[in-house]
Amino acid sequence: MTEIADLTGPADILTTALAEDGYVCLSADTVLAHLGPMARQAWREFALSWDALGPDLYMADGGRYRRRRHAALGVSGDAISPKPRQPHFQSRDYNALNGDVQRWFEPVLPETLANPVLQAILAAWTPVISAAGGHPADQAWHVELHQFRIETSPAETGRPTPEGLHRDGVDWVFVMLVDRRNVSDGVTEIGDEEGRRIGEFTLATPGDGVLLDDHRIRHGVTPIRPIDPGEPAWRDALVVTWLAEIA
């Protein structure tokens, strides 16, 4: 699957595609159709929150091209509850560059957490991944939210995934483009469990996204470069991960 799919029909169509292929890439129209009209109305305010991200000071490659915020939530059925501020941690098995480090990022702002776009993402995709993975409807999930801005300039290449084609060490991942400003490249690459590339596409329109099974699918994004070297250039993305909590 290398095209951005039009799966605007019932959620069970999306669930089936996700269960069969391990990932689905979705057009902005498809994403927003599933998120509903309130999300469309709140999109501008949601996207503007990326202007308030803090620097990522943990880049082992020495880069200063990444800004981000982070939050952890508990999600079960219709219930969504913020968890206390906590570090983001990945082992080196999943992140050879920045793994085995407790990384404390500035928290996602309360108004961003309450934004209808984010609330709709959790409400729309949690039942889909629960069904695709054979979980009960009231499965409890540990959810982490990551707001990323990758900046690029003639002096420094922006690398959305400096760790390369990877898994995140969770169960499910949703990546959504929020903005592309004056950048070229940034191609999303999809690999199988062994790292063999099986697809690629570009998230080009705000709202374009990909849902994937982190056990079966590896993903990465190629470096971005400025189109006009004299103007600011960046790529904004939201990453949401789900990890099933064991009772």
Side-chain angles (χ1 to χ4, degrees), residues 18-212:
L18 186 60
E20 290 179 351
D21 297 333
Y23 77 101
V24 288
C25 42
L26 303 164
S27 70
D29 285 344
T30 296
V31 170
L32 292 173
H34 282 279
L35 300 188
M38 288 186 65
R40 288 183 181 270
Q41 295 168 11
W43 180 270
R44 183 176 182 276
E45 181 181 1
F46 181 68
L48 284 174
S49 70
W50 265 254
D51 290 339
L53 305 190
D56 184 340
L57 302 177
Y58 293 92
M59 300 300 296
D61 63 0
R64 290 294 180 263
Y65 50 81
R66 185 154 78 177
R67 297 180 176 275
R68 67 192 294 180
R69 286 184 182 268
H70 168 260
L73 306 172
V75 178
S76 179
D78 295 332
I80 301 171
S81 57
K83 293 188 174 184
R85 188 184 176 206
Q86 56 190 259
H88 176 55
F89 181 84
Q90 292 173 296
S91 76
R92 286 195 179 273
D93 293 335
Y94 297 106
N95 190 329
L97 179 66
N98 295 317
D100 288 348
V101 176
Q102 289 192 350
R103 292 180 283 165
W104 290 90
F105 301 111
E106 293 186 18
V108 175
L109 296 172
E111 55 266 35
T112 306
L113 290 176
N115 187 282
V117 176
L118 192 51
Q119 294 292 308
I121 286 170
L122 297 173
W125 297 153
T126 301
V128 167
I129 63 170
S130 294
H135 296 282
D138 61 351
Q139 170 67 48
W141 298 95
H142 174 76
V143 174
E144 293 193 44
L145 312 173
H146 306 265
Q147 292 179 278
F148 288 102
R149 170 167 288 180
I150 306 301
E151 299 171 325
T152 186
S153 71
E156 185 169 39
T157 299
R159 294 176 171 83
T161 56
E163 65 272 40
L165 201 64
H166 67 284
R167 291 167 53 211
D168 285 346
V170 295
D171 293 322
W172 301 92
V173 179
F174 175 58
V175 182
M176 183 178 72
L177 182 74
V178 175
D179 190 24
R180 282 176 63 102
R181 187 69 55 89
N182 185 36
V183 298
S184 62
D185 302 318
V187 177
T188 297
E189 299 178 323
I190 298 294
D192 63 14
E193 297 173 73
E194 305 303 321
R196 295 181 292 259
R197 283 172 171 76
I198 58 176
E200 64 177 37
F201 47 88
T202 300
L203 304 181
T205 301
D208 285 350
V210 57
L211 263 171
L212 59 91

